[in-house]
């Protein structure tokens, strides 16, 4: 994900790049150039994310495991938020980073308001949702050869260059 995020960053307009820098500066308060766990937690709390999220995400973002996030690692974070590669299980509210399930009906109605479940909540029916058809998110994207598929492919193609 980081390579994709950096490739994306490089191809951004100046205006967008400034936005990323601003985003980074809003997390990195101490001015030492790295985001510490405290700074990250502070930011996440202000944004109103669930407390179960931060450790998960911080670890995920901190690719070299040095306990702080560099600018590049924060670009990944920005990318995740901007492109909604950032969702939570509607059952147990954990951060969903790998395989998870999405309500087909809700996803088709509005991609941004999709109803997501982790595989264990899906399996154990730990949710009360009006629809019953769920699909693995990756499978769903591939199966939507319409608008969603095209957007996805276009984005992918862009990232490869
Ligand atoms: Zn869950
Ligand atoms: Zn639904």
């Amino acid at each position: 994900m980081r390579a994709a995020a950096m490739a994306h960053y490089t191809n951004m307009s100046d205006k967008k790049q400034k936005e990323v820098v601003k985003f980074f500066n809003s997390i990195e308060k101490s001015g030492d150039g790295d985001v510490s766990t405290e700074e990250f937690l502070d930011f996440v709390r202000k944004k109103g994310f669930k407390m179960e999220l931060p450790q998960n995400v911080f670890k995920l973002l901190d690719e070299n495991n040095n306990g702080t996030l560099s600018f590049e690692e924060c670009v990944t974070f920005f990318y995740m938020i901007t492109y909604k590669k950032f969702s939570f299980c509607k059952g147990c509210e954990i951060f969903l980073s790998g395989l998870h399930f999405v309500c087909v009906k809700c996803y088709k109605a509005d991609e941004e308001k999709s109803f997501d479940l982790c595989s264990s909540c899906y399996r154990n029916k730990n949710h009360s949702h009006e629809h019953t058809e769920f699909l693995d998110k990756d499978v769903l994207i591939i199966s939507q050869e319409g608008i969603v598929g095209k957007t996805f492919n276009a984005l992918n193609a862009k990232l490869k260059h």
Side-chain angles (χ1 to χ4, degrees), residues 89-94 96 117-122 126:
C89 174
K90 292 282 200 297
C92 62
E93 301 192 319
I94 62 156
L96 297 167
L117 289 173
C118 71
S119 34
S120 95
C121 284
Y122 173 64
N126 177 28

Side-chain angles (χ1 to χ4, degrees), residues 41-51 53-54 88 93:
L41 291 178
D42 229 47
F43 175 80
V44 169
R45 254 194 301 268
K46 269 184 217 137
K47 289 277 171 190
F49 291 132
K50 288 268 166 192
M51 281 314 288
L53 153 81
F88 305 92
E93 301 192 319

Side-chain angles (χ1 to χ4, degrees), residues 23-135:
F23 172 79
F24 180 72
N25 289 336
S26 70
I27 310 176
E28 208 283 283
K29 295 266 187 225
S30 68
D32 59 7
D34 282 313
V35 173
S36 65
T37 323
E38 289 75 37
E39 285 170 334
F40 185 77
L41 291 178
D42 229 47
F43 175 80
V44 169
R45 254 194 301 268
K46 269 184 217 137
K47 289 277 171 190
F49 291 132
K50 288 268 166 192
M51 281 314 288
E52 192 151 355
L53 153 81
Q55 265 79 17
N56 274 346
V57 180
F58 195 87
K59 265 200 204 133
L60 192 82
L61 293 170
D62 185 15
E63 291 188 46
N64 59 0
N65 283 314
N66 69 346
T68 58
L69 301 182
S70 64
F71 178 72
E72 286 191 12
E73 286 165 342
C74 279
V75 171
T76 312
F77 186 38
F78 181 83
Y79 178 80
M80 284 165 82
I81 293 179
T82 312
Y83 291 95
K84 309 277 172 195
K85 292 186 179 296
F86 204 70
S87 46
F88 305 92
C89 174
K90 292 282 200 297
C92 62
E93 301 192 319
I94 62 156
F95 169 64
L96 297 167
S97 60
L99 170 88
H100 65 274
F101 292 85
V102 194
C103 169
V104 177
K105 255 195 183 149
C106 289
Y107 186 84
K108 281 183 178 163
D110 187 345
E111 208 183 312
E112 298 195 4
K113 292 189 188 112
S114 65
F115 187 90
D116 302 356
L117 289 173
C118 71
S119 34
S120 95
C121 284
Y122 173 64
R123 214 175 25 242
N124 302 323
K125 296 207 178 340
N126 177 28
H127 63 89
S128 50
H129 189 59
E130 48 188 339
H131 310 126
T132 50
E133 196 191 345
F134 281 80
L135 261 184

